[in-house]
Amino acid sequence: MNDRIDGIVVNQIDYKENDQIISIINKQYGKISLYVKGYKKINSKNASACQLLDYSSFLLDYYPSKNIQVLKSASLIEQFNSIKQDYQKIAISSLMCEIINQTDSVYDFDLLMNSLTLLEKTDQPYLILNLFLAQQLRQIGIAPYVDGCVICNNNNIETISISDGGFLCRGCNEGQIEKMPVEFLKKFRYINKASFDKYDKLLSLDLNDFKLTDMLVDIMVNYSGIKLNSYRLLTNINY
């Protein structure tokens, strides 16, 4: 017993008068829920390490058969203060956490940690979010087809079809969806082929584009069943 698990807080739910249930993503078990007793009390020793985005070390007796584990203590490792002081980055990271909280994969920890670490220092926040979204789509198995027309594999692409799941050529589109600029189609392909290990090479490709975000989120919502309430914050900022 006395298991120590390092994880990032991705969700918080108030429970009873002073308690809270938090969800953390970690390398060992993926996502787990922790019961934090006395979270709202002024003298709480754990509250400062159990807030959304906190990367903390959690001490507990882990029982695989239980849906909710009881937290003994928590100590903060990283707070991501630069993100928490920027409204736009708060909205972006909240969206990431909401997605992670619903996908629940052991691979999500590295993805979220990489994303938050880069988001802290970047001046291209939507590039980070777009990378995160594209990688999640691949991980879930619903990435759009961007190697040609999704229907006939023709390379003469003119638009993107959410319902068909990728690029459409002029012949297959038949004027149903508005033709998109070639530069946007190129950027859409770049982001769906990209990964975090190529991050430095992506900085010059103009991928810090909320229109890409909107398209990727649309695909995720339509094909995964994931509900994204926090996305309203970003749409309010950008429209």
Side-chain angles (χ1 to χ4, degrees):
M1 295 293 99
N2 283 336
D3 300 292
R4 188 165 293 279
I5 300 172
D6 295 345
I8 304 170
V9 180
V10 295
N11 193 44
Q12 297 173 288
I13 300 173
D14 290 337
Y15 184 72
K16 295 184 177 180
E17 185 177 354
N18 294 306
D19 306 337
Q20 195 165 82
I21 295 174
I22 64 172
S23 296
I24 67 167
I25 191 75
N26 63 93
K27 276 190 173 184
Q28 298 100 309
Y29 308 108
K31 190 187 77 174
I32 62 174
S33 297
L34 301 178
Y35 175 53
V36 186
K37 190 173 183 179
Y39 176 92
K40 296 180 183 178
K41 291 184 177 180
I42 296 176
N43 61 348
S44 173
K45 296 179 180 180
N46 294 320
S48 61
C50 295
Q51 299 177 43
L52 192 68
L53 295 185
D54 284 350
Y55 174 42
S56 301
S57 184
F58 302 93
L59 184 66
L60 58 139
D61 293 334
Y62 181 70
Y63 297 98
S65 59
K66 290 188 175 182
N67 292 327
I68 300 176
Q69 313 293 325
V70 178
L71 179 68
K72 291 183 177 181
S73 65
S75 55
L76 186 66
I77 300 174
E78 174 60 57
Q79 218 169 12
F80 297 108
N81 281 325
S82 295
I83 294 176
K84 293 180 179 181
Q85 294 171 9
D86 185 311
Y87 183 74
Q88 184 170 246
K89 290 184 177 181
I90 289 172
I92 288 172
S93 58
S94 296
L95 178 63
M96 291 178 177
C97 286
E98 187 174 19
I99 293 170
I100 292 288
N101 189 48
Q102 295 179 74
T103 52
D104 187 12
S105 165
V106 291
Y107 301 106
D108 284 341
F109 175 82
D110 286 335
L111 175 58
L112 184 58
M113 178 59 79
N114 287 338
S115 301
L116 295 177
T117 300
L118 289 172
L119 185 62
E120 263 228 306
K121 56 188 180 183
T122 190
D123 59 357
Q124 297 192 39
Y126 290 105
L127 166 58
I128 307 302
L129 177 56
N130 292 337
L131 267 173
F132 171 89
L133 290 168
Q135 191 156 323
Q136 273 289 10
L137 291 177
R138 291 198 294 271
Q139 190 167 288
I140 297 170
I142 56 173
Y145 186 73
V146 293
D147 288 327
C149 176
V150 68
I151 295 176
C152 72
N153 214 34
N154 190 305
N155 290 322
N156 188 23
I157 304 304
E158 74 168 19
T159 193
I160 302 165
S161 170
I162 301 299
S163 60
D164 290 305
F167 282 159
L168 279 185
C169 68
R170 181 178 180 181
C172 293
N173 184 31
E174 297 180 330
Q176 297 180 60
I177 303 173
E178 184 179 353
K179 185 176 179 179
M180 296 181 178
V182 173
E183 286 306 311
F184 181 78
L185 295 173
K186 287 181 178 179
K187 290 195 292 184
F188 187 74
R189 188 175 191 275
Y190 288 151
I191 200 66
N192 280 287
K193 291 288 187 179
S195 58
F196 278 100
D197 59 349
K198 305 293 185 182
Y199 172 72
D200 290 341
K201 295 181 179 179
L202 301 174
L203 292 170
S204 62
L205 297 180
D206 193 25
L207 301 176
N208 185 48
D209 188 341
F210 184 73
K211 290 181 180 178
L212 288 173
T213 306
D214 222 15
M215 186 71 69
L216 294 167
V217 167
D218 202 1
I219 293 169
M220 178 168 286
V221 170
N222 275 275
Y223 285 97
S224 70
I226 291 174
K227 296 181 180 179
L228 300 178
N229 297 321
S230 61
Y231 192 55
R232 295 174 188 171
L233 294 174
L234 285 179
T235 54
N236 288 341
I237 292 172
N238 288 277
Y239 291 125

